[in-house]
Amino acid sequence: MPGSLRIVIAKPGLDGHDRGAKVVARALRDAGHEVIYTGLRRTPEQIVRIVMDEDAQVLGLSSLSGAHGFLFPRVCELLNEAGLDDVIVFGGGIIPERDRSALLDSGVSAIFGPGTTSTEMVDFLDSLEV
Amino acid sequence: MERRELARALSNPQDISCPPRIREPWSVLGVTGSPGVGKSCIVDKIVKSWVDEGDKVAVLAIDPSSPVTGGALLGDRMRMSSVDANDSVFFRSIATRNVPGGIPAMLDRMIDLLFHEGWRKIIIETVGSGQSEVRVVAVADRILLVEGPGRGDIIQAEKAGIIELSDIIAVNKSDLPGAEKVAQEIKLSLEMSDTKPPAILLCSAESGDGISELIETINDLPNAKGPSIAKARERLLSANQEILLNHPDFSDVLKSLVADEISIADAMALLKGA
Ligand SMILES: Nc1nc2c(ncn2[C@@H]2O[C@H](COP(=O)(O)OP(=O)(O)OP(=O)(O)O)[C@@H](O)[C@H]2O)c(=O)[nH]1
Ligand SMILES: [Mg+2]
């Protein structure tokens, strides 16, 4: 159990809804974590910079736009380039079953679909070795 | 120090050791005010203007941790729409949770390090509602208090002593009704004070009205050699508090107090001789 983590919640891509991301941010806050919420429409480059500056151990990416197929792997690639490969990345939002294995291969550690309870997410974070 | 290293070092402020920053010209702006008045939106505008002038700007945005869970939701960065993750901007969100020695002492060290690393303009954003926030913002060289229409927060700010510390008061959301009235009320209430009143400006971070005047007024704030009496007082009290909190016997003394074995005077005598 890692105790309190610093977690960045970000939304890459252009979709303009962040209700889901905010619900996740609040649930993780209530579980005792420090959650940094970045707001809408950040580029993969910005997100990686934010993770670095905030010295976060975990990054949660949310996407509703279907752009996850490109954006999530791109973020993981940039994290590696920046030497931030120890940062745990998880994904959420609307992500079809068929896209999952490719995302997991690209460096995303877990994917939480729309039906996920916050307990599942909190348990996942508790299981991390950071 | 590389950016990543700097970010890491800021996570352990108690281990920072670097020379204290130069206080002249002033470099640290504190931005305070009630929740939701528009502090972060204004900070975004100030940062953009300073970066456009060629400065490297660091922002430390402080939000309270939940006393129950210890968690925190740090959302100030959401408003950094124009400059987030720019090479010339370093933005760090800070939760107030269990900081050894208290926030002011920790912030001081973080700021010294940032200054040392070439971040010569530093902004602290903190919600200003009580005594502990006053201590936080007193770390800054210059202080901007942000108010908004229809809130009646000014009385709260007066009570907490924030107005005494402020160099400028910005009444934001001037695009909404009531802002002008608030500005008038503040002016009236300050007429009765015997110190030089801070400048009061109307602005709207939304429409941009009054923002360039606000930034000019901030840029023109004079360099004073030492802090004002009010600021010096808060800094001294913070330092005193830090001595108490960092004393190795602090929790033992607390326990003795709880067990009614010693008086407060005894406790102070034990803790002062560090
Ligand atoms: N109408 C209007 N709304 C504004 C203005 N400035 C900010 N807002 C809105 O006020 C809300 C809060 O703005 P923030 O900048 O986050 O306020 P804050 O003081 O930093 O809030 P906390 O950090 O949560 O205390 C946002 O929804 C902004 O869009 C303004 O000049 N006019
Ligand atoms: Mg804010």
Side-chain angles (χ1 to χ4, degrees):
Chain A
M1 276 246 342
S4 173
L5 296 166
R6 277 176 74 81
I7 305 171
V8 168
I9 300 288
K11 274 189 71 72
L14 295 175
D15 62 83
H17 296 280
D18 62 352
R19 254 198 70 206
K22 281 182 176 160
V23 170
V24 168
R26 264 184 232 115
L28 300 181
R29 186 258 327 258
D30 293 342
H33 299 292
E34 288 180 13
V35 184
I36 296 128
Y37 185 63
T38 65
L40 295 168
R41 300 192 186 90
R42 295 296 190 261
T43 64
E45 285 78 8
Q46 285 177 322
I47 291 171
V48 169
R49 175 54 69 79
I50 291 170
V51 169
M52 183 186 286
D53 286 3
E54 296 285 0
D55 194 21
Q57 297 101 341
V58 179
L59 168 62
L61 295 172
S62 154
S63 166
L64 305 173
S65 60
H68 52 264
F70 166 70
L71 291 171
F72 289 13
R74 177 75 184 138
V75 170
C76 293
E77 184 184 307
L78 290 170
L79 282 173
N80 285 337
E81 279 172 22
L84 296 167
D85 40 322
D86 51 345
V87 172
I88 311 280
V89 181
F90 70 89
I94 299 172
I95 294 165
E97 197 59 50
R98 62 173 187 279
D99 294 348
R100 291 186 180 216
S101 65
L103 291 181
L104 294 171
D105 286 343
S106 76
V108 179
S109 297
I111 293 163
F112 301 104
T116 314
T117 62
S118 55
T119 326
E120 281 172 68
M121 229 174 285
V122 170
D123 287 348
F124 163 72
L125 293 171
D126 283 349
S127 73
L128 297 178
E129 288 180 27
V130 187
Chain B
M1 209 182 253
E2 291 209 10
R3 195 162 173 133
R4 168 121 194 261
E5 238 180 296
L6 174 64
R8 286 254 157 108
L10 291 173
S11 296
N12 298 301
Q14 67 280 6
D15 298 337
I16 292 174
S17 63
C18 77
R21 64 186 179 276
I22 301 155
R23 295 263 183 183
E24 212 185 339
W26 67 268
S27 54
V28 186
L29 177 71
V31 179
T32 190
S34 302
V37 289
K39 297 180 291 296
S40 298
C41 291
I42 290 178
V43 166
D44 180 56
K45 299 278 194 289
I46 300 172
V47 171
K48 176 152 195 337
S49 155
W50 285 352
V51 166
D52 287 348
E53 303 267 295
D55 282 316
K56 285 177 75 183
V57 188
V59 181
L60 302 174
I62 302 149
D63 280 302
S65 310
S66 154
V68 183
T69 65
L73 191 51
L74 308 165
D76 295 310
R77 150 152 247 159
M78 219 174 11
R79 312 287 176 207
M80 297 296 294
S81 47
S82 48
V83 278
D84 203 3
N86 183 306
D87 276 343
S88 304
V89 181
F90 189 102
F91 190 108
R92 183 63 172 254
S93 313
I94 301 169
T96 52
R97 130 205 94 118
N98 58 40
V99 178
I103 297 275
M106 168 187 95
L107 264 185
D108 234 5
R109 273 178 218 127
M110 295 173 91
I111 291 168
D112 284 347
L113 178 62
L114 285 163
F115 189 89
H116 187 69
E117 292 298 321
W119 301 86
R120 291 299 162 95
K121 290 276 190 186
I122 297 159
I123 297 177
I124 308 171
E125 177 187 333
T126 177
V127 169
S129 46
Q131 205 57 56
S132 57
E133 284 86 6
V134 174
R135 300 266 155 85
V136 169
V137 84
V139 168
D141 301 323
R142 294 290 173 272
I143 293 168
L144 167 67
L145 171 63
V146 184
E147 289 283 337
R151 305 193 43 125
D153 294 325
I154 194 70
I155 300 160
Q156 181 109 25
E158 261 187 304
K159 268 194 209 152
I162 295 178
I163 289 188
E164 253 183 282
L165 290 172
S166 305
D167 297 285
I168 301 176
I169 300 178
V171 180
N172 189 38
K173 308 198 185 184
S174 63
D175 54 300
L176 300 179
E180 227 149 299
K181 187 161 161 273
V182 170
Q184 283 307 327
E185 282 168 11
I186 297 173
K187 270 186 198 140
L188 269 178
S189 75
L190 289 180
E191 273 173 11
M192 287 178 274
S193 76
D194 20 86
T195 48
K196 187 175 166 287
I200 300 164
L201 289 118
L202 275 165
C203 66
S204 166
E206 184 100 347
S207 73
D209 274 354
I211 293 291
S212 53
E213 291 82 350
L214 172 63
I215 293 173
E216 262 170 52
T217 311
I218 294 170
N219 291 341
D220 289 345
L221 284 172
N223 287 308
K225 280 241 162 52
S228 64
I229 290 200
K231 237 181 254 158
R233 180 175 179 279
E234 296 305 330
R235 287 184 193 164
L236 208 56
L237 291 173
S238 298
N240 188 44
Q241 185 173 340
E242 188 191 2
I243 291 174
L244 288 186
L245 290 172
N246 281 341
H247 196 286
D249 298 336
F250 186 75
S251 50
D252 289 340
V253 169
L254 270 185
K255 278 182 205 137
S256 307
L257 276 171
V258 172
D260 203 21
E261 291 160 3
I262 58 172
S263 69
I264 289 284
D266 299 334
M268 287 306 287
L270 286 168
L271 292 176
K272 283 293 168 170

